[in-house]
């Protein structure tokens, strides 16, 4: 979901994020895992910003980019207040389909490494906070507890009448959507009457429910942005994982941390517009690059031993060659 601006209450954050970066060192970031691990093992407050790349490795479709269509549309055409107002049945079919797809997906090694890291470090008095743009709850399912879902969740609803928000894991979410939502371009709209779409169960409300996600053109929740700001201001290490760093203001979060001299490590399939601002960059699938980066102290020893062995063997080979 793209946000074009922050809410008024969070405007100070936006101003903070918009500072120039003139003082930054623009040298190519390091991909030295041992150097990253040295910093990681000394860190007390770690912020981990995650994006669509982490979900993509679990096979979660984003309906964006080449081939990313649901029927004839991409997410940015359906995930808007205007689309919902015009055709709530179609938009609910789209979200019903996405919810049902998630029942067939599982957290991948990147999600699991983050959750295991939080669990392990919390016992040592350290904090790990996941700030995610993803709405699929795979971090939660992997076991992460300290999560800020800045774009909401597929598994939460909000009432259009009374504003009540609630978790909702029903499958299907309502009887009329059962068997609906097929993604093929030839599928006709189900044209479900609005009274049969998901409705609020608060006493005497019965208002129309919508997915509690941030749609294109909507603002991020100011309360969550303030909590995010606190985490970013207090972290001593920041990881930015599987995100293209082009969706604002989330894209600015890691750059804000880097600008105050805190090490930031990017884990991504490719360079991003922000890569040169970071201390570390680890290229590749984050399910492959993240587990060795976040593993326990014991494995660090093993890693050092392995690196020393390689070094020693290389010297020996050179001596004999
Ligand atoms: Zn309601």
């Amino acid at each position: 979901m793209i946000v074009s601006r922050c809410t008024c209450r969070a405007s100070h954050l936006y101003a903070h994020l918009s500072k120039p970066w003139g003082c930054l060192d623009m040298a190519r970031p390091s991909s030295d895992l041992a150097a990253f691990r040295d910093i990681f093992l000394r860190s007390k407050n770690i912020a981990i910003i995650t994006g669509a790349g982490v979900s993509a490795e679990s096979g979660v479709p984003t309906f964006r980019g080449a081939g990313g269509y649901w029927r004839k549309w991409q997410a940015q055409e359906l995930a808007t207040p205007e689309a919902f107002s015009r055709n709530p049945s179609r938009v609910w079919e789209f979200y019903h389909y996405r919810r049902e797809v998630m029942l067939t997906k599982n957290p991948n090694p990147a999600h699991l490494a983050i959750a295991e890291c939080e669990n392990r470090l919390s016992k040592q008095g350290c904090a790990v906070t996941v700030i995610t743009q993803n709405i699929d709850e795979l971090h939660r399912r992997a076991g992460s507890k300290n999560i800020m879902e800045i774009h909401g969740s597929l598994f939460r609803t909000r009432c259009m009448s009374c504003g009540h928000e609630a978790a909702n894991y029903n499958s299907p979410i309502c009887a009329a959507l059962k068997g609906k939502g097929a993604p093929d371009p030839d599928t006709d709209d189900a044209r479900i009457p609005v009274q049969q779409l998901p409705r609020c169960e608060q006493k005497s409300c019965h208002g129309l429910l919508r997915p509690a996600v941030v749609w294109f053109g909507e603002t991020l929740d100011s309360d969550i942005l303030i909590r995010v700001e606190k985490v970013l201001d207090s972290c001593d290490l920041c990881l930015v994982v599987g995100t293209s760093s082009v969706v604002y203001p989330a894209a600015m979060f890691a750059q804000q941390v880097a600008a105050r001299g805190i090490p930031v490590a990017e884990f991504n399939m490719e360079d991003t517009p922000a890569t040169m601002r970071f201390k570390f960059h680890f290229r590749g699938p984050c399910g492959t690059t993240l587990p060795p980066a976040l593993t326990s102290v014991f494995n660090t020893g093993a890693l050092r031993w392995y690196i020393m062995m390689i070094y020693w063997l290389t010297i020996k080979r050179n001596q004999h060659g």
Side-chain angles (χ1 to χ4, degrees):
M1 309 299 130
I2 283 177
V3 289
S4 52
R5 61 190 171 85
C6 295
T7 56
C8 291
R9 284 181 60 194
S11 58
H12 63 287
L13 173 69
Y14 189 71
H16 186 41
L17 296 177
S18 303
K19 284 177 184 171
W21 316 104
C23 58
L24 291 174
D25 177 6
M26 297 299 278
R28 177 79 204 165
S30 164
S31 55
D32 181 342
L33 186 60
F36 168 80
R37 297 271 312 169
D38 274 347
I39 295 171
F40 169 69
L41 292 173
R42 284 186 274 117
S43 300
K44 303 282 183 216
N45 278 296
I46 302 171
I48 304 181
I49 299 165
T50 72
V54 187
S55 296
E57 288 179 33
S58 286
V60 177
T62 60
F63 303 105
R64 293 173 71 175
Y69 286 84
W70 179 84
R71 297 186 187 163
K72 305 180 196 71
W73 304 282
Q74 291 199 314
Q76 58 268 39
E77 298 171 86
L78 297 171
T80 72
E82 295 78 19
F84 189 66
S85 164
R86 262 196 315 269
N87 196 333
S89 170
R90 180 188 292 159
V91 173
W92 258 122
E93 274 200 274
F94 176 54
Y95 279 94
H96 166 65
Y97 173 72
R98 296 177 73 178
R99 287 165 58 99
E100 296 295 310
V101 163
M102 285 316 302
L103 299 177
T104 69
K105 307 298 181 192
N106 291 301
N108 63 57
H111 295 107
L112 296 169
I114 291 169
E116 191 275 330
C117 171
E118 178 191 340
N119 182 39
R120 187 178 74 243
L121 295 191
S122 68
K123 291 172 186 156
Q124 300 165 19
C126 303
V128 174
T129 307
V130 176
I131 300 165
T132 188
Q133 297 162 252
N134 301 333
I135 59 173
D136 49 42
E137 296 202 1
L138 285 177
H139 283 297
R140 198 178 300 274
R141 280 170 55 192
S144 287
K145 294 188 172 60
N146 196 11
I147 310 170
M148 297 180 181
E149 293 168 319
I150 61 169
H151 290 167
S153 165
L154 279 173
F155 299 98
R156 292 187 72 78
T157 57
R158 183 160 69 248
C159 177
M160 300 286 286
S161 299
C162 72
H164 182 256
E165 238 188 79
N168 184 312
Y169 296 94
N170 297 341
S171 170
I173 188 167
C174 67
L177 279 166
K178 185 172 184 184
K180 306 296 183 191
D184 319 277
D186 304 335
T187 312
D188 291 326
D189 276 349
R191 296 175 188 276
I192 298 167
V194 73
Q195 287 303 323
Q196 293 175 30
L197 290 173
R199 309 296 300 197
C200 181
E201 292 179 358
Q202 291 297 104
K203 207 173 177 185
S204 71
C205 180
H206 205 59
L208 176 63
L209 295 179
R210 59 163 278 182
V213 297
V214 180
W215 277 334
F216 291 89
E218 291 186 319
T219 56
L220 295 188
D221 179 79
S222 57
D223 291 335
I224 206 165
L225 278 177
I226 288 164
R227 286 167 51 215
V228 165
E229 183 181 24
K230 276 187 186 159
V231 171
L232 298 179
D233 280 350
S234 62
C235 73
D236 50 10
L237 174 64
C238 177
L239 277 60
V240 53
V241 186
T243 172
S244 57
S245 291
V246 293
V247 179
Y248 285 78
M252 299 302 287
F253 292 164
Q255 296 184 51
Q256 173 190 344
V257 175
R260 66 180 181 90
I262 299 298
V264 176
E266 183 177 56
F267 296 78
N268 207 38
M269 290 296 288
E270 58 213 9
D271 278 12
T272 73
T275 295
M276 295 302 284
R277 302 192 186 281
F278 300 147
K279 187 171 182 68
F280 297 101
H281 176 83
F282 298 101
R283 183 178 296 214
C286 40
T288 305
T289 55
L290 208 50
L294 300 185
T295 191
S296 64
V297 175
F298 169 77
N299 288 339
T300 307
L303 182 69
R304 283 202 173 126
W305 179 83
Y306 176 76
I307 290 168
M308 283 177 66
M309 282 297 290
I310 295 284
Y311 181 65
W312 182 76
L313 285 170
T314 307
I315 290 172
K316 280 282 173 198
R317 191 179 301 142
N318 289 342
Q319 282 174 349
H320 291 103

